[in-house]
Amino acid sequence: MSAPRLEIDLAKIGHNARTLVERLGARGIAVTAVTKGTLGSAAVAHTLIRAGVAGLADSRIENIEALRRAGVTAPITLLRSPMLSQVDRVVAQAEVSANTEGAVLRGLSAAAVAQDRSHGVLLMVESGDLREGILPVDLVGVINEVLELPGLRLAGVGTNLACQSGVVPSRRNMDDLSDLVTAVEAATGVGVERVSGGNSANLEWAFGTADLGRVNDLRLGEAILLGREALHRRPVADLHTDAFTLVAEVIESQMKPSRPWGEIAQNAFGETVSIRDRGEVRQAIVALGRQDVDPGGLVPPDGIEILGASSDHLVLDTGAHELPVGAEVHFQVDYAALLGAMTSPFVAELVLEPAQTCS
Ligand SMILES: *Cc1c(COP(=O)(O)O)cnc(C)c1O
């Protein structure tokens, strides 16, 4: 089979999505499934929809277009503010987009009018993480602008934390969001339907807080795909953390000294590495490198250690394992590694379909 390849276990993804939909649904929160980790994979999207998510979301219009071409008809939200140069494509393919800028809203409005469509706007509010977001004091003004622009409708208000600065979604900032929503409804006379409180970093808050206020939607990628919350990367109870496996092939396998010899300067990536002498080790090279994946996000099998990675070579200390040339090594991935592997043209995808059942 071709290598490197990313094996995608749809049954595990479906289980994760269904479990989160049920648990959060019991708390009044709908799940919008975020597909950007899978580069618009239609197989994954169909699995998520079957699991009962309220809709899909992606940060890239290209991924959304790929989903549409593959026949996905579920509502899709574009998570990253549209580029002005892409407003026509956004209006054509996404029901809703996240927005923070008047200029983009006006562009979307013109595109929606030209295409005779209505486009939903999810206004993102800054809650302290200092990535995207309208400052709370400016929200009423922006809502009024949306209400006046033809072709646009207010789909909701959202916020995003723990991405740029690691700000934790807390009772305090989530309550602030709820209070803000209630206040802007009073000021504008318009109801805010969807209140999208955040991402996989919000799970601790969502499961551990008695009153979730106005929040009725979370946008979940990592928790569904990798089974982990995004604050401490702890596994979420009962979810699979191994729905994705990156498989690479051994191209060299030799006993070698663990310590380099000769004068030591920088390596291929400008790092100066210090290496402990551990005597002779069983060293294997797999045909995998930074062109394929972020090596820091790989978890090797037990007993195998990653010694280093360059553009095309991943060097392993295989410990007691004998890995002959041609053998395959299976790695678990974190979100960065998943993104890298999915977007690398060198990594094939192998979708494992759920076992057929009679239902
Ligand atoms: C990527 C992204 C998400 C999903 O984040 P996860 O941590 O993978 O759940 C949610 N919202 C926005 C705005 C994003 O960019």
Side-chain angles (χ1 to χ4, degrees), residues 34 36 59 79-80 124 131-132 160 163 198-201 219-223 230 233 335:
V34 176
K36 70 187 179 209
S59 48
L79 288 177
R80 188 174 67 182
M124 299 299 282
R131 202 179 69 178
E132 75 276 34
N160 194 65
C163 274
N199 53 44
S200 296
R219 311 172 305 274
L220 301 181
E222 183 165 0
R233 300 275 151 17
Y335 205 56

Side-chain angles (χ1 to χ4, degrees), residues 12 17 33 52 116 133 136 155 163 178 203 206 211 213 223 229 234-235 238 317 324 329:
K12 289 179 177 171
D116 198 19
C163 274
S178 290
L203 289 181
D211 182 359
E229 53 79 34
R234 291 188 191 119
D238 307 320
D317 176 346
V329 185

Side-chain angles (χ1 to χ4, degrees), residues 261-303:
W261 61 90
E263 192 190 340
I264 307 290
Q266 293 181 352
N267 69 9
F269 287 88
E271 304 150 351
T272 310
V273 291
S274 81
I275 290 157
R276 190 167 53 87
D277 189 356
R278 292 166 297 151
E280 277 218 322
V281 295
R282 224 182 279 277
Q283 179 182 291
I285 299 174
V286 293
L288 187 71
R290 297 189 197 218
Q291 298 199 70
D292 308 294
V293 70
D294 172 3
L298 295 176
V299 181
D302 279 347

Side-chain angles (χ1 to χ4, degrees), residues 6-320:
L6 188 69
E7 296 189 349
I8 306 174
D9 188 327
L10 294 181
K12 289 179 177 171
I13 295 170
H15 167 88
N16 287 358
R18 218 171 306 114
T19 305
L20 288 166
V21 165
E22 280 165 17
R23 280 194 202 151
L24 288 166
R27 313 228 61 210
I29 291 190
V31 173
T32 296
V34 176
T35 53
K36 70 187 179 209
T38 62
L39 200 67
S41 158
V44 171
H46 287 302
T47 301
L48 297 168
I49 293 160
R50 272 196 300 273
V53 303
L56 303 176
D58 203 290
S59 48
R60 305 262 173 168
I61 187 62
E62 292 83 353
N63 290 347
I64 295 174
E65 289 169 342
L67 291 171
R68 294 301 187 215
R69 280 196 301 275
V72 172
T73 56
I76 307 183
T77 300
L78 177 67
L79 288 177
R80 188 174 67 182
S81 181
M83 296 182 216
L84 272 179
S85 56
Q86 294 183 334
V87 290
D88 294 323
R89 294 163 68 182
V90 172
V91 165
Q93 306 292 350
E95 279 75 8
V96 175
S97 59
N99 281 277
T100 61
E101 286 287 346
V104 178
L105 293 169
R106 293 187 286 279
L108 289 166
S109 167
V113 169
Q115 294 179 34
D116 198 19
R117 282 173 189 267
S118 158
H119 184 72
V121 170
L122 177 67
L123 292 177
M124 299 299 282
V125 176
E126 176 61 68
S127 293
D129 198 51
L130 297 179
R131 202 179 69 178
E132 75 276 34
I134 299 160
L135 290 172
V137 291
D138 297 329
L139 184 60
V140 167
V142 181
I143 290 179
N144 283 329
E145 188 170 8
V146 170
L147 298 176
E148 279 166 21
L149 284 168
L152 299 188
R153 66 189 166 77
L154 181 68
V157 168
T159 199
N160 194 65
L161 289 165
C163 274
Q164 165 78 4
S165 313
V167 171
V168 174
S170 64
R171 207 169 143 182
R172 175 113 182 240
N173 51 34
M174 287 294 109
D175 283 353
D176 286 349
L177 178 69
S178 290
D179 292 346
L180 178 67
V181 167
T182 303
V184 299
E185 283 178 336
T188 61
V190 175
V192 177
E193 216 175 281
R194 177 175 169 199
V195 181
S196 188
N199 53 44
S200 296
N202 283 65
L203 289 181
E204 255 175 38
W205 163 83
F207 291 128
T209 309
D211 182 359
L212 302 182
R214 294 288 308 271
V215 175
N216 58 14
D217 174 84
L218 289 178
R219 311 172 305 274
L220 301 181
E222 183 165 0
I224 296 175
L225 300 174
L226 295 176
R228 292 179 188 272
E229 53 79 34
L231 285 178
H232 315 285
R233 300 275 151 17
R234 291 188 191 119
V236 179
D238 307 320
L239 299 196
H240 298 289
T241 56
D242 58 352
F244 296 84
T245 306
L246 185 60
V247 183
E249 187 176 322
V250 175
I251 55 170
E252 182 188 298
S253 183
Q254 300 188 9
M255 294 298 296
K256 288 199 180 182
S258 51
R259 218 175 121 188
W261 61 90
E263 192 190 340
I264 307 290
Q266 293 181 352
N267 69 9
F269 287 88
E271 304 150 351
T272 310
V273 291
S274 81
I275 290 157
R276 190 167 53 87
D277 189 356
R278 292 166 297 151
E280 277 218 322
V281 295
R282 224 182 279 277
Q283 179 182 291
I285 299 174
V286 293
L288 187 71
R290 297 189 197 218
Q291 298 199 70
D292 308 294
V293 70
D294 172 3
L298 295 176
V299 181
D302 279 347
I304 295 182
E305 191 190 336
I306 296 174
L307 297 174
S310 49
S311 313
D312 313 288
H313 297 80
L314 188 76
V315 182
L316 306 174
D317 176 346
T318 71

